[in-house]
Amino acid sequence: MKIYYEKDVDTGVLANKTIAVIGYGSQGMAQSRNMADSGLNVVVGLREGGSSWQTAKDDGMNVMSIEDAAKTADIVHILIPDEIQGAVYEQSIKPYLEEGNTISFSHGYNIHYGYIQAPQGVNVTMSAPKGPGAMVRRTYLEGFGIPGLVAVEVDATGDAKQQALAMGKGCGLARAGILETTFKEETETDLFGEQAVLCGGVTELIKAGFKTLVDGGYQPEVAYFETCHELKLIVDLIYEKGFAGMWHDVSNTAEFGGLTRRSRVVTPEAQKEMAEILKEIQEGKFAKEWALENQAGRPMLKRMRDLEDELQIEEVGSKLRKLCGLEK
């Protein structure tokens, strides 16, 4: 495992290069502003008249159309949603790439699954914070940063990794450490984490726990506090201190109960399903399913969003978050 820190990275490799950040969402805003504040030459490429255009201008960024940004830049850092990257790349970026340029990403999805293919002589790199954009910006302003990843799929110029590392340093990632990986590893582990644990797994666990308590006759408000609200407190302890530190900080009763019962919830059958989910990711089955879903106008996603909004835990949670001052 190779980890790079600030002392290991020379941003001089970017001294005469222009970086075009495509997109100004959570990551686009944070990364472009951090790199600009670090002294790198950054422009922001956006759809003219789009909702982010004036926001980026108000933040002091040099804003231009995606096409003009691609023409201007030596490095095009693509931070728009996965599902639209391919079309935007083909229409507004690829025609303006020249030999020696770099296309850069913070998620390897479109490169790994072949939805974007670089022309001959163009670098393909990754500079990826391991955290949400708001945290990338906040920790940078606080004088620190969050960890990041770096990867090179194509090194056409011989210094592709140095460029990607310099971008990571400009974002503040080298303050915490930049881990070297591959597009394959980043893409497959990221999708698995989202689906099986961080987004899919944890929400299904919360729903199941909430329903079990409500079906058992307990107040929905109490059930929400016990299965959802307090989750952040536990995750924060794990984030800061690891499993052992979390077990040390909760009660002995909680520790004994958790350690003796957890495998009855996440069973060997659940782990088999996790392995199947990983296999679908590795074989490209999920990517094909998501592509077809987008081609059809996302009917399944829209329906699932509607169903999620109708859940009792959402109604109860919204009410309690307002009482706690967490939601307006």
Side-chain angles (χ1 to χ4, degrees):
M1 178 177 69
K2 176 64 176 175
I3 301 179
Y4 298 87
Y5 295 96
E6 287 200 305
K7 62 181 177 58
D8 305 313
V9 182
D10 178 15
T11 56
V13 70
L14 301 178
N16 298 312
K17 297 189 182 297
T18 298
I19 302 165
V21 174
I22 309 301
Y24 205 69
S26 176
Q27 285 292 343
M29 178 171 63
Q31 293 190 45
S32 62
R33 294 184 73 184
N34 286 7
M35 286 191 288
D37 287 351
S38 294
L40 302 183
N41 186 22
V42 178
V43 301
V44 175
L46 298 173
R47 179 171 54 85
E48 291 187 76
S51 59
S52 300
W53 185 278
Q54 192 58 47
T55 301
K57 278 187 168 295
D58 291 344
D59 287 340
M61 303 305 298
N62 184 1
V63 184
M64 56 186 69
S65 70
I66 296 174
E67 292 81 0
D68 286 342
K71 292 175 188 175
T72 301
D74 302 286
I75 301 170
V76 183
H77 191 39
I78 304 173
L79 296 180
I80 52 180
D82 292 330
E83 62 270 22
I84 65 171
Q85 281 188 16
V88 172
Y89 171 77
E90 288 293 330
Q91 296 167 12
S92 304
I93 297 172
K94 185 177 179 180
Y96 308 106
L97 292 175
E98 299 176 352
E99 188 172 337
N101 285 170
T102 297
I103 54 171
S104 173
F105 303 83
S106 284
H107 183 31
Y109 188 95
N110 280 279
I111 292 295
H112 179 56
Y113 291 118
Y115 296 118
I116 290 178
Q117 297 184 1
Q120 194 75 20
V122 172
N123 296 324
V124 180
T125 66
M126 181 192 304
S127 177
K130 291 308 294 177
M135 186 69 73
V136 174
R137 182 61 177 165
R138 191 185 83 192
T139 56
Y140 177 90
L141 293 174
E142 291 171 347
F144 195 56
I146 65 171
L149 301 176
V150 65
V152 176
E153 186 78 1
V154 177
D155 185 1
T157 61
D159 64 351
K161 184 164 76 172
Q162 288 72 26
Q163 291 185 34
L165 285 168
M167 289 172 63
K169 182 176 180 178
C171 278
L173 310 183
R175 299 171 181 174
I178 301 174
L179 173 66
E180 189 167 5
T181 184
T182 65
F183 272 70
K184 179 182 190 301
E185 183 175 61
E186 186 277 335
T187 301
E188 294 178 357
T189 56
D190 187 74
L191 291 175
F192 176 81
E194 292 167 350
Q195 294 173 22
V197 182
L198 305 175
C199 303
V202 74
T203 52
E204 193 65 17
L205 182 65
I206 292 168
K207 283 166 54 182
F210 176 84
K211 186 176 185 302
T212 299
L213 286 177
V214 172
D215 288 351
Y218 301 98
Q219 296 180 73
E221 292 79 8
V222 173
Y224 179 85
F225 278 126
E226 293 299 334
T227 61
C228 186
H229 180 82
E230 292 188 30
L231 180 66
K232 182 183 184 303
L233 307 179
I234 299 301
V235 170
D236 283 349
L237 286 175
I238 296 171
Y239 178 82
E240 294 167 6
K241 302 181 179 182
F243 285 171
M246 181 273 290
W247 291 126
H248 178 270
D249 281 9
V250 300
S251 70
N252 293 334
T253 307
E255 182 182 13
F256 179 76
L259 288 171
T260 56
R261 266 69 176 172
R262 62 183 179 180
S263 61
R264 291 168 59 182
V265 177
V266 183
T267 62
E269 287 72 23
Q271 292 180 21
K272 288 179 183 177
E273 285 299 321
M274 286 186 175
E276 187 62 28
I277 288 170
L278 180 57
K279 183 179 177 182
E280 292 171 0
I281 292 167
Q282 292 169 331
E283 294 179 349
K285 183 179 178 180
F286 170 76
K288 291 175 183 175
E289 182 182 339
W290 180 223
L292 290 171
E293 174 73 6
N294 279 287
Q295 289 171 18
R298 305 183 202 168
M300 186 182 299
L301 179 58
K302 291 174 182 176
R303 177 58 180 154
M304 289 187 294
R305 283 173 175 169
D306 290 341
L307 291 173
E308 201 80 352
D309 288 342
E310 295 169 4
L311 292 173
Q312 183 184 17
I313 191 172
E314 283 292 86
E315 179 184 344
V316 173
S318 180
K319 179 175 69 175
L320 292 179
R321 288 191 296 273
K322 289 175 182 175
L323 288 175
C324 295
L326 301 173
E327 186 177 296
K328 293 182 180 179

